[in-house]
Amino acid sequence: MMRRKNGNKHYFTGMGTRKKVHAFVRVKPTDDFAHEMIKYGDDNKSIDIHLKKDLQRGVVNNKQTDWSFKLDGVLHNASQDLVYETVAKDLVAQALDGYNGTIMCYGQTGAGKTYTMTGATENYKHRGILPRALQQVFRMIEERPTHAITVRVSYLEIYNESLFDLLSTLPYVGPSVTPMTIVENPQGVFIKGLSVHLTNQEEDAFSLLFEGETNRIIASHTMNKNSSRSHCIFTIYVEAHSRTLSDEKYVTSKINLVDLAGSERLGKSGSEGRMLKEATYINKSLSFLEQAIIALGDQKRDHIPFRQSKLTHALKDSLGGNCNMVLLTNIYGEAAQLEETLSSLRFASRMKLVTTEPAINEKYDAERMVKNLEKELALLKQELAIHDSLANRTFVNYDPMDEIQIAEINSQVRRYLEGTLDEIDIINLRQIQEVFNQFRVVLSQQEQEVESTLRRKYTLIDKNDFAAISAVQKAGLMDVEGHLVGEPDGQSFGLGVTPFSTKPGKKPKSKKMFKEQLGSLGRKEGAGSPVSGKDLEVSISKTQATPSSKEGDVKDLPLRDRETSSSEPLPLDSPKEEWRPPRPSTPPPKPVAFEDFKNERGSEINRIFKENKSILNERRKRASETTQRINAIKQEMDLTKEALNFQKSIREKQGEYENKGLMIIDEEEFLLILKLKDLKKQYRAEYQDLRDLRAEIQYCQHLVDQCRHRLLTEFDIWYNESFFIPDDMQVSLKPGSSIRPGMVPVSRLVSLGEDDQDKFNQLQQRVLPEGPDSISFYNAKVKTEQKRNYLKTMMGLQQAHRK
Ligand code: ADP
Ligand code: MG
């Protein structure tokens, strides 16, 4: 079974059996039949030609005098009826099953092509293939009530490579007014501008056929054209939809009945002008037809030269290849025409060798398909509703999400990544997909931020400034690859250059981290990260205690020291108290300048930063100790449970299970129960502590990040103002101004040096899922508490700010 594409049309060759082009010969009846020269084989499938010696001279160029042609049938003195039965009947029948078919009459003018194809229109008995095919189609439709079958017809004439519509409803005026073009699309080839007529019954079809024939004759007069020089294609279009199956598949087919132009070699006899033009066109289009059909039969050929002529182009999806094809060659039986007869027979035998692979044209009815899918969808939804109500999941909604729901998921994902949300509840597949989607969105946003930060920062450090680079390396700020790193001890900082780079033993908050977070998605974890009001006060009061700090809120850390030590003339717009070092010709390396900055203008921020950092470290230590304690308690609990189970099993074996409705247990078991109860209590208490600590850590972390951010931002401003920016431009670079060279978003700095936090997160994941209460109860409780604590924190912050 082969699959082959003809044009843009898709076929499947499920029923594909290789076939050959059927080639028949019809001999025109004559009283002067050349019995001695033309002989038929016994099976009526071959024809032998013998040339007499005296005819040989001047007629045939070579010395050959005998030819034998093998064909599919020779029709001699055959009635129109027999011709139809032999040539067309099967092909037409198969068209209703979706196979395209083409019947062509080939031969010398006057040999009987039109008689064979159309027949005598005035005599029913002598009607040709065309009216008979229409009759057969309508008869078959009647026999197939299971299918809704439509029939359409068109009649095209090709004359000197121009297209004419023989069924045009407009008065016939020629091709310049209604130009037609051959168009190809995925459904196949069609002729734009050619009228296609729906015919509901045989009679309508006949009327159209006769109208076409009349037009053909009229046109040949008015246009002064020789009808034997034109190709006529009558096409029957069939489309069959099943009535019984609600199947969206349907089949289409075309039957092309082609009355070709005369095949005689006109060019030879010294034609001129119009005659020459006609001759050239005919000979060319017939030889292109042959080339195309031969190419179609050649499995190795990829390119089929359809576009060489209008005839082959118009028949593109109905020639050779994957459709049924019949070639009927009309010949004279007279000796005088033997030369053309020989030529026609050669053409026929060449065609006979061509193989085709007929295939059904199956198409999909989009409308019906949508209807079927809708039905199925409704059914599945019902099914799901039943399932959900059985599984007690009646709240689940399966409809597509709206913008608000998606925004909610985005916020969940952000909170999850920040660590303020411990789990994202899984509801259904659609929601899971959206969660992943939003992870991607958030991640790519973060990556963009990093990139733009990197770009900005790198422009500040001249890569060729070896002195600066070596100073940076000395200060331990650069890793092996030359990336700058932040230091976690709070003594000195990276310059915010590369949040994704790592120091040995340090864990980057990068894609890897993201994956780990993804991995823990949906895992049951412990408490969230509420901020307790008590601990908040600690950090705030510390901030308040700093003498130079005027306001309690960290957000309002002093922006500038009130020192004035420079004797340099200050720029006009610069505040008086602004300290600035004397501007050297080459700026000092950043790490060196940073040390200066921390001792001078940045000292206050640095101090606050260090304090917060030490609080943070202390809390972390406590959290880790608490975690260890919880682990120990848990172990103890497990051991106690085991011992208790052991006791119980012994008791059960001894049959002391029940005595007059009273449970009797020995002292050992009783003590174990008490112990377990106590342990559970401890566990809960420690667990509560851990949750509080974690909240506190998170809050401290936030303060540390803010301080660091402030420190770096201030440093950058100071550095650029001091060493890079002309004094007269500095007005736009004041604190609070939107243009801040080298500003680093907080989100980037958060990722610097927080390995402890990661370790802590991991620890929690290990410890907490074993909560003694039921998971859902627990989760709900935690969430409520989170909310309450969050509100408390916010209120605390506001109060502190007001103070
Ligand atoms: P073509 O279309 O090949 O030029 P036609 O079909 O017009 O040839 O035939 C030329 C003439 O011969 C017509 O008058 C036609 O009626 C007649 N003729 C052709 N074939 C037959 C046939 N098999 N039986 C009777 N008459 C025929
Ligand atoms: Mg004709």
Side-chain angles (χ1 to χ4, degrees):
M1 272 192 266
M2 284 278 299
R3 195 189 161 85
R4 185 164 177 161
K5 254 180 102 176
N6 189 357
N8 293 320
K9 211 161 180 179
H10 298 280
Y11 297 92
F12 82 89
T13 55
M15 306 171 73
T17 40
R18 295 197 64 74
K19 270 189 180 180
K20 292 214 184 275
V21 169
H22 287 278
F24 298 94
V25 167
R26 185 180 197 185
V27 188
K28 186 179 170 182
T30 173
D31 297 333
D32 192 18
F33 186 76
H35 287 284
E36 287 171 30
M37 295 177 187
I38 303 170
K39 293 222 157 52
Y40 307 127
D42 291 338
D43 56 356
N44 249 354
K45 283 188 177 177
S46 63
I47 187 164
D48 294 333
I49 305 288
H50 172 74
L51 277 188
K52 279 188 190 163
K53 282 262 174 189
D54 57 321
L55 271 171
Q56 196 181 334
R57 209 185 313 122
V59 177
V60 181
N61 291 330
N62 56 36
K63 292 203 169 116
Q64 193 176 351
T65 52
D66 289 279
W67 292 265
S68 185
F69 301 96
K70 286 256 178 296
L71 300 155
D72 291 292
V74 178
L75 298 153
H76 185 81
N77 281 334
S79 67
Q80 293 284 67
D81 203 24
L82 180 66
V83 169
Y84 186 80
E85 290 282 320
T86 316
V87 166
K89 200 178 172 190
D90 286 351
L91 184 142
V92 172
Q94 286 207 29
L96 259 75
D97 294 325
Y99 293 95
N100 284 353
T102 300
I103 303 173
M104 291 197 285
C105 283
Y106 179 94
Q108 186 182 357
T109 298
K113 297 185 294 296
T114 307
Y115 181 81
T116 304
M117 201 46 90
T118 312
T121 44
E122 66 281 357
N123 187 330
Y124 182 76
K125 204 184 159 205
H126 295 153
R127 69 198 187 284
I129 291 172
L130 251 165
R132 286 171 199 264
L134 286 169
Q135 282 177 310
Q136 187 186 342
V137 166
F138 282 106
R139 209 174 305 133
M140 284 173 71
I141 290 172
E142 272 172 31
E143 287 163 8
R144 264 188 222 199
T146 52
H147 283 75
I149 302 173
T150 54
V151 179
R152 289 179 174 81
V153 297
S154 70
Y155 209 170
L156 175 75
E157 185 177 29
I158 303 172
Y159 181 69
N160 289 356
E161 287 299 278
S162 294
L163 307 172
F164 297 85
D165 185 355
L166 291 176
L167 295 179
S168 172
T169 42
L170 298 165
Y172 194 81
V173 269
S176 58
V177 175
T178 50
M180 286 185 275
T181 43
I182 301 169
V183 181
E184 289 176 43
N185 68 12
Q187 271 72 50
V189 179
F190 72 100
I191 291 127
K192 206 175 144 194
L194 178 69
S195 60
V196 179
H197 304 259
L198 183 70
T199 53
N200 294 319
Q201 47 189 336
E202 209 175 281
E203 202 184 302
D204 298 345
F206 284 167
S207 307
L208 285 162
L209 169 62
F210 296 148
E211 193 186 317
E213 289 304 320
T214 316
N215 282 340
R216 189 174 168 183
I217 294 158
I218 295 170
S220 70
H221 291 302
T222 53
M223 300 285 295
N224 192 23
K225 67 185 184 190
N226 187 339
S227 69
S228 70
R229 304 280 185 267
S230 71
H231 309 292
C232 289
I233 307 171
F234 188 88
T235 308
I236 306 171
Y237 308 80
V238 180
E239 193 175 302
H241 293 258
S242 168
R243 280 191 216 273
T244 47
L245 303 166
S246 63
D247 199 354
E248 56 256 16
K249 275 189 239 163
Y250 67 98
V251 293
T252 64
S253 61
K254 283 193 237 184
I255 308 168
N256 288 293
L257 303 167
V258 190
D259 185 354
L260 291 168
S263 61
E264 57 275 8
R265 281 166 294 175
L266 295 154
K268 248 171 124 189
S269 49
S271 334
E272 273 174 40
R274 192 182 73 124
M275 284 285 281
L276 182 65
K277 194 177 165 195
E278 281 176 352
T280 320
Y281 280 138
I282 295 159
N283 289 349
K284 269 196 182 155
S285 65
L286 286 176
S287 82
F288 288 148
L289 174 69
E290 184 179 350
Q291 280 175 27
I293 295 170
I294 287 172
L296 278 165
D298 184 353
Q299 291 296 315
K300 281 167 265 161
R301 281 283 290 268
D302 266 344
H303 176 72
I304 315 292
F306 285 115
R307 285 158 172 269
Q308 290 183 126
S309 73
K310 292 277 192 294
L311 177 70
T312 47
H313 199 186
L315 290 173
K316 183 174 171 176
D317 55 8
S318 313
L319 272 185
N322 40 29
C323 71
N324 289 309
M325 233 191 103
V326 171
L327 178 83
L328 196 144
T329 304
N330 292 95
I331 57 166
Y332 282 98
E334 289 144 18
Q337 309 295 335
L338 214 59
E339 189 190 357
E340 287 299 336
T341 297
L342 259 175
S343 160
S344 292
L345 288 172
R346 279 195 203 106
F347 181 84
S349 57
R350 281 198 297 273
M351 286 303 102
K352 194 192 158 350
L353 296 176
V354 174
T355 51
T356 65
E357 201 170 350
I360 293 174
N361 297 309
E362 217 171 28
K363 289 175 185 168
Y364 286 85
D365 184 339
E367 221 172 281
R368 215 185 241 198
M369 193 140 86
V370 169
K371 264 185 207 152
N372 286 347
L373 287 173
E374 273 172 354
K375 250 192 242 166
E376 200 174 310
L377 193 69
L379 204 73
L380 286 172
K381 273 191 177 174
Q382 275 174 19
E383 193 101 38
L384 209 54
I386 293 168
H387 174 85
D388 278 347
S389 73
L390 288 175
N392 226 354
R393 273 163 54 93
T394 39
F395 61 91
V396 181
N397 180 13
Y398 295 96
D399 293 330
M401 291 186 181
D402 58 25
E403 274 173 37
I404 297 166
Q405 286 166 316
I406 290 171
E408 169 59 24
I409 288 179
N410 181 288
S411 137
Q412 280 177 358
V413 167
R414 278 177 197 282
R415 280 182 283 148
Y416 183 82
L417 284 172
E418 281 163 19
T420 55
L421 182 69
D422 275 322
E423 58 188 42
I424 298 173
D425 281 335
I426 296 308
I427 296 161
N428 60 23
L429 208 59
R430 204 191 278 276
Q431 180 247 4
I432 294 174
Q433 278 170 345
E434 194 53 51
V435 165
F436 278 97
N437 225 2
Q438 293 305 323
F439 262 113
R440 197 187 290 148
V441 169
V442 172
L443 190 71
S444 80
Q445 279 171 354
Q446 286 184 349
E447 273 176 358
Q448 271 174 12
E449 264 176 52
V450 172
E451 250 169 50
S452 67
T453 309
L454 282 177
R455 229 175 286 129
R456 241 184 298 147
K457 294 305 285 186
Y458 271 123
T459 54
L460 289 175
I461 299 173
D462 184 359
K463 276 190 180 164
N464 297 318
D465 186 351
F466 295 113
I469 290 170
S470 86
V472 167
Q473 276 170 335
K474 254 185 226 154
L477 291 171
M478 207 178 247
D479 67 7
V480 211
E481 295 127 311
H483 299 302
L484 289 164
V485 231
E487 285 197 358
D489 62 1
Q491 295 305 310
S492 60
F493 294 98
L495 301 180
V497 175
T498 160
F500 278 3
S501 70
T502 54
K503 233 184 140 176
K506 249 192 80 193
K507 203 152 168 277
K509 268 209 174 171
S510 61
K511 274 189 177 165
K512 200 179 155 224
M513 172 77 182
F514 170 68
K515 270 184 203 150
E516 276 164 14
Q517 285 172 325
L518 268 184
S520 69
L521 175 68
R523 231 186 277 158
K524 296 293 171 195
E525 289 173 31
S529 37
V531 178
S532 91
K534 191 185 93 199
D535 310 306
L536 186 68
E537 276 156 32
V538 174
S539 10
I540 290 169
S541 65
K542 280 196 175 156
T543 314
Q544 279 170 324
T546 24
S548 68
S549 173
K550 304 258 183 295
E551 275 146 297
D553 197 323
V554 254
K555 279 179 186 157
D556 297 305
L557 283 171
L559 294 172
R560 292 282 188 276
D561 265 349
R562 307 290 162 193
E563 272 177 272
T564 41
S565 61
S566 174
S567 57
E568 285 236 319
L570 291 166
L572 246 168
D573 291 311
S574 177
K576 274 264 181 319
E577 59 274 275
E578 190 85 70
W579 177 84
R580 189 168 300 127
R583 186 166 299 174
S585 53
T586 44
K590 271 202 165 186
V592 176
F594 190 58
E595 286 308 311
D596 285 346
F597 174 77
K598 279 197 294 188
N599 292 326
E600 309 273 349
R601 204 176 74 184
S603 65
E604 185 56 24
I605 309 172
N606 193 37
R607 194 185 58 72
I608 297 167
F609 171 76
K610 281 203 263 179
E611 264 177 41
N612 279 327
K613 189 83 191 177
S614 76
I615 296 171
L616 177 65
N617 285 339
E618 194 270 332
R619 295 289 189 280
R620 279 181 179 163
K621 214 176 123 207
R622 262 167 59 187
S624 130
E625 283 161 9
T626 311
T627 307
Q628 276 169 14
R629 277 201 302 279
I630 291 176
N631 272 331
I633 295 168
K634 183 74 182 63
Q635 258 177 357
E636 185 79 30
M637 270 164 71
D638 288 344
L639 286 173
T640 314
K641 267 185 210 160
E642 248 172 63
L644 199 58
N645 285 338
F646 181 67
Q647 286 287 329
K648 219 171 161 185
S649 68
I650 290 173
R651 175 163 46 82
E652 277 168 8
K653 262 187 215 151
Q654 289 169 349
E656 300 175 45
Y657 194 68
E658 238 173 49
N659 190 3
K660 292 175 191 169
L662 284 170
M663 184 109 97
I664 296 169
I665 46 172
D666 62 17
E667 203 188 330
E668 209 172 331
E669 200 175 341
F670 179 68
L671 287 174
L672 280 171
I673 291 171
L674 279 186
K675 191 183 172 191
L676 191 63
K677 215 176 159 187
D678 191 43
L679 281 169
K680 276 185 183 171
K681 212 170 138 191
Q682 278 183 47
Y683 182 88
R684 285 202 189 98
E686 291 282 4
Y687 187 78
Q688 183 64 41
D689 279 357
L690 184 63
R691 244 171 38 196
D692 289 348
L693 270 172
R694 206 186 150 205
E696 207 179 317
I697 284 165
Q698 191 145 26
Y699 187 75
C700 282
Q701 181 71 58
H702 186 66
L703 288 183
V704 168
D705 289 338
Q706 256 187 340
C707 285
R708 173 183 296 136
H709 173 59
R710 177 59 57 81
L711 193 58
L712 287 174
T713 313
E714 291 295 319
F715 169 68
D716 269 337
I717 295 167
W718 173 82
Y719 188 79
N720 288 308
E721 279 175 2
S722 304
F723 303 112
F724 288 104
I725 299 156
D727 293 349
D728 55 353
M729 273 180 64
Q730 288 186 9
V731 66
S732 62
L733 291 164
K734 291 223 165 65
S737 157
S738 57
I739 314 159
R740 287 190 168 201
M743 224 162 102
V744 185
V746 188
S747 57
R748 300 276 55 82
L749 292 162
V750 172
S751 57
L752 293 178
E754 311 315 333
D755 46 342
D756 295 347
Q757 176 71 45
D758 290 343
K759 262 187 238 153
F760 177 66
N761 280 342
Q762 282 169 8
L763 259 179
Q764 275 197 322
Q765 282 171 21
R766 242 188 296 138
V767 173
L768 298 178
E770 302 283 332
D773 296 313
S774 89
I775 291 164
S776 57
F777 173 81
Y778 188 68
N779 276 343
K781 204 175 137 219
V782 168
K783 272 180 197 158
T784 321
E785 263 170 22
Q786 267 179 356
K787 247 185 225 162
R788 204 185 299 141
N789 281 328
Y790 175 73
L791 287 173
K792 242 205 247 165
T793 310
M794 293 310 285
M795 279 159 72
L797 271 171
Q798 277 174 353
Q799 274 170 7
H801 189 78
R802 257 182 252 126
K803 263 189 236 163

